[in-house]
Amino acid sequence: MDRLITAADNEFSKSWIKAIFQLRASIDRWAKENLQEIWEGQYQSRCIYLLLSIEKEGSKASTLIKEHGISKQAMSKILQNLISLNLIDTRPDVDDQRSKLIFLTEKGSTVLEKSLTAFSTLIYAFKESADYGSMEESRNTLNLALRLIQEYKK
């Protein structure tokens, strides 16, 4: 780091960290309240992101593990849960006999589509309260923050 971090920098960071965690907690609360019926009472925030990550032509668990930054054991537990809810299915990978591909089931596709529609209503309400430029600027700022966090080395 090229410069000394000041108390003002720490206060700025504190406000950002609080806002990010409050936003995540608020989104999780909203989703639990508004998506329970779609998910038949089994909504889990990590699962929707996982469903979004599954490619139409199937995804390998190893790819999802890297993308989500979780352990093989944690991914296995999540996948078993989604299989038991009939949201995903696995099939042998014809290109790699040791591996299986993960697919959305018809029910998984429906649950994901309905969840996206519900989230879209939330985002649309936010968009109505802000102008498009600030929405784009906010999204770009969040994407930049994600990229910098992924690349940052202490």
Side-chain angles (χ1 to χ4, degrees), residues 4 14 60 62 66 83 94 114 135 137:
L4 187 62
K14 182 176 157 183
K60 290 184 179 185
S62 59
K66 287 177 190 169
I83 288 169
V94 294
K114 287 181 178 181
M135 287 284 292
E137 187 176 322

Side-chain angles (χ1 to χ4, degrees), residues 1 8 13 24 39-41 43 48 50 55 57 59 63 65 68 71 78 86-87 94 100 103 115 135 137-138 149 153:
M1 184 131 292
S13 297
R24 180 176 179 186
W39 284 72
E40 298 176 359
Y43 174 78
I48 193 161
L50 183 67
E55 300 291 334
E57 60 277 355
S59 296
T63 303
I65 287 167
H68 291 261
S71 70
I78 293 168
N86 192 31
L87 298 176
V94 294
K100 291 184 179 183
F103 293 88
S115 297
M135 287 284 292
E137 187 176 322
S138 297
I149 289 167
K153 304 267 190 279

Side-chain angles (χ1 to χ4, degrees), residues 35-50:
L35 300 179
Q36 287 302 338
E37 186 176 317
I38 295 169
W39 284 72
E40 298 176 359
Q42 301 293 320
Y43 174 78
Q44 297 170 355
S45 60
R46 185 171 282 266
C47 292
I48 193 161
Y49 181 50
L50 183 67

Side-chain angles (χ1 to χ4, degrees), residues 16 20-21 23-24 27 49 67-68 137-153:
W16 260 85
I20 290 167
F21 280 94
L23 179 61
R24 180 176 179 186
I27 290 170
Y49 181 50
E67 184 176 333
H68 291 261
E137 187 176 322
S138 297
R139 189 176 59 83
N140 290 338
T141 300
L142 290 173
N143 285 333
L144 174 63
L146 287 170
R147 193 187 81 221
L148 291 174
I149 289 167
Q150 291 168 349
E151 295 172 358
Y152 182 75
K153 304 267 190 279

